[in-house]
Amino acid sequence: MNLLWTKHKSTVAASAPVIGLILLAVLYIVVMQGDITPYNLNIIVNQLMITAVISTGAIFIFSIGAFDISLGAATAVSAMAGVLAFNASESLLVMFLVCLLVGVLISLFNSILAALLNLPVFVTTIAMLSVLNSVIEMLLGGQSKLSISSEAAASADTLLVKLSILILFFVICLFIFRYTPIGRQNKFLSANPVSAKQTGLSRSKLTIIAFAIAGIGIGLAAFLTIVRAPVLSKTTASSVGMDVLIALVFGGMPLSGGARSKISAALVGATSVVLLNQVLLALGFSSGVNQIAKGVLFLVVVFVASIGFRDKLLPR
């Protein structure tokens, strides 16, 4: 029995995210009692697009064994900068470009700060979370909200636009992650930092590239946030950072990165988190209970995923 389990435990760990997604989909159908309306599906699609886009870019950060907890705040700042740009120019294109630019700049600042100060990325993103929250207050300028006209947002608030952004970004990231040296070097860097350094790989360079790609995802998500809800406040994207972290783990992304990193975790995990949120809401749970439930499931998924690891690793 032990031999059988040892033989198949890696397969179980690898398939757990997909199995979990299927179970959540079935649970959602049961909870909704088959009453799945276009309105409900629209909510799922809107939430999925934002979480999936950010998660896709964040894969590059996670694959080097780092993670960014300021993703939500960075998305909010990028979105608010985009709104201010639109109000000044009346151009959706200008708003889109500003969202992208600010998202990339914030992400690059995180990585460059970590490289210059020789600090763990996690430490710098904690500091940036506080800084970005202050920037949000500054951009609001004492107001309770920033907004663009709903008519302007409606022209980009279509399924075609949202799917085009997600699919194009995912395909580009998939190609970079699987078929270019960047993806292979990211996984190698996390799997064995000592060997990676001895072969001449620069952790600082790979970290900056990873955060630049993640910044593009932040900018795209900021644009989608605006067209989905053209009224922004200090609570905008407040739960996005945690949702992305949970999504990637749900999708089977190892927290330590390395060779087991897979970009499919972004889509699988994002869909799982969105379905979980909808199930908990349909059951009438409060936001506090929702967070507890997601926390418990987070620990369960991490445990199940860890059973596929080798019990002993070679020293690094």
Side-chain angles (χ1 to χ4, degrees):
M1 187 68 179
N2 287 335
L3 289 175
L4 183 64
W5 170 245
T6 301
K7 181 179 179 180
H8 294 289
K9 67 178 183 178
S10 295
T11 303
V12 172
S15 59
V18 177
I19 295 173
L21 174 58
I22 294 172
L23 291 176
L24 280 170
V26 172
L27 182 59
Y28 176 73
I29 293 172
V30 171
V31 169
M32 297 300 293
Q33 298 179 349
D35 186 23
I36 302 176
T37 65
Y39 175 77
N40 293 332
L41 292 177
N42 187 54
I43 292 176
I44 291 176
V45 168
N46 281 321
Q47 292 182 355
L48 173 61
M49 294 300 164
I50 294 172
T51 306
V53 166
I54 298 179
S55 297
T56 299
I59 284 287
F60 290 86
I61 297 177
F62 273 69
S63 66
I64 61 174
F67 58 94
D68 184 353
I69 66 169
S70 64
L71 292 170
T75 303
V77 170
S78 301
M80 289 183 179
V83 166
L84 292 174
F86 177 85
N87 290 337
S89 65
E90 296 293 324
S91 170
L92 283 177
L93 177 60
V94 171
M95 181 180 80
F96 176 78
L97 293 176
V98 168
C99 285
L100 270 182
L101 178 62
V102 174
V104 172
L105 288 177
I106 291 173
S107 208
L108 281 176
F109 184 78
N110 268 332
S111 61
I112 294 173
L113 189 63
L116 290 177
L117 300 179
N118 196 27
L119 291 172
V121 173
F122 175 71
V123 174
T124 60
T125 60
I126 290 177
M128 279 301 295
L129 179 60
S130 298
V131 172
L132 291 173
N133 283 330
S134 298
V135 173
I136 290 172
E137 296 286 351
M138 292 173 57
L139 291 176
L140 286 172
Q143 306 175 69
S144 61
K145 62 184 180 180
L146 290 174
S147 64
I148 67 172
S149 65
S150 55
E151 293 80 10
S155 62
D157 188 21
T158 66
L159 183 59
L160 177 61
V161 171
K162 296 171 186 174
L163 280 177
S164 297
I165 290 175
L166 174 58
I167 292 173
L168 182 60
F169 185 56
F170 182 81
V171 169
I172 292 173
C173 288
L174 176 67
F175 176 78
I176 295 173
F177 195 74
R178 287 191 177 179
Y179 304 109
T180 70
I182 294 174
R184 294 191 294 270
Q185 290 172 1
N186 274 13
K187 290 184 281 188
F188 181 41
L189 177 65
S190 179
N192 200 321
V194 175
S195 294
K197 184 177 181 180
Q198 291 174 343
T199 57
L201 292 184
S202 170
R203 183 176 187 86
S204 297
K205 177 182 177 182
L206 290 174
T207 299
I208 291 172
I209 293 174
F211 270 82
I213 295 173
I216 295 174
I218 290 170
L220 294 175
F223 177 77
L224 293 175
T225 298
I226 298 170
V227 298
R228 172 195 173 193
V231 179
L232 307 182
S233 68
K234 62 181 179 180
T235 61
T236 296
S238 58
S239 64
V240 166
M242 183 56 66
D243 281 347
V244 169
L245 176 59
I246 294 174
L248 291 178
V249 174
F250 274 23
M253 186 71 181
L255 291 175
S256 58
R260 289 164 50 93
S261 301
K262 48 188 178 181
I263 198 165
S264 60
L267 295 185
V268 173
T271 306
S272 297
V273 167
V274 170
L275 287 176
L276 175 62
N277 286 335
Q278 293 305 307
V279 167
L280 295 175
L281 286 174
L283 292 175
F285 291 155
S286 65
S287 60
V289 175
N290 287 358
Q291 294 300 321
I292 292 173
K294 286 194 286 188
V296 171
L297 284 174
F298 177 84
L299 293 175
V300 171
V301 172
V302 170
F303 171 75
V304 172
S306 68
I307 65 177
F309 291 168
R310 292 175 292 173
D311 294 330
K312 294 182 180 180
L313 296 176
L314 293 174
R316 297 181 176 181

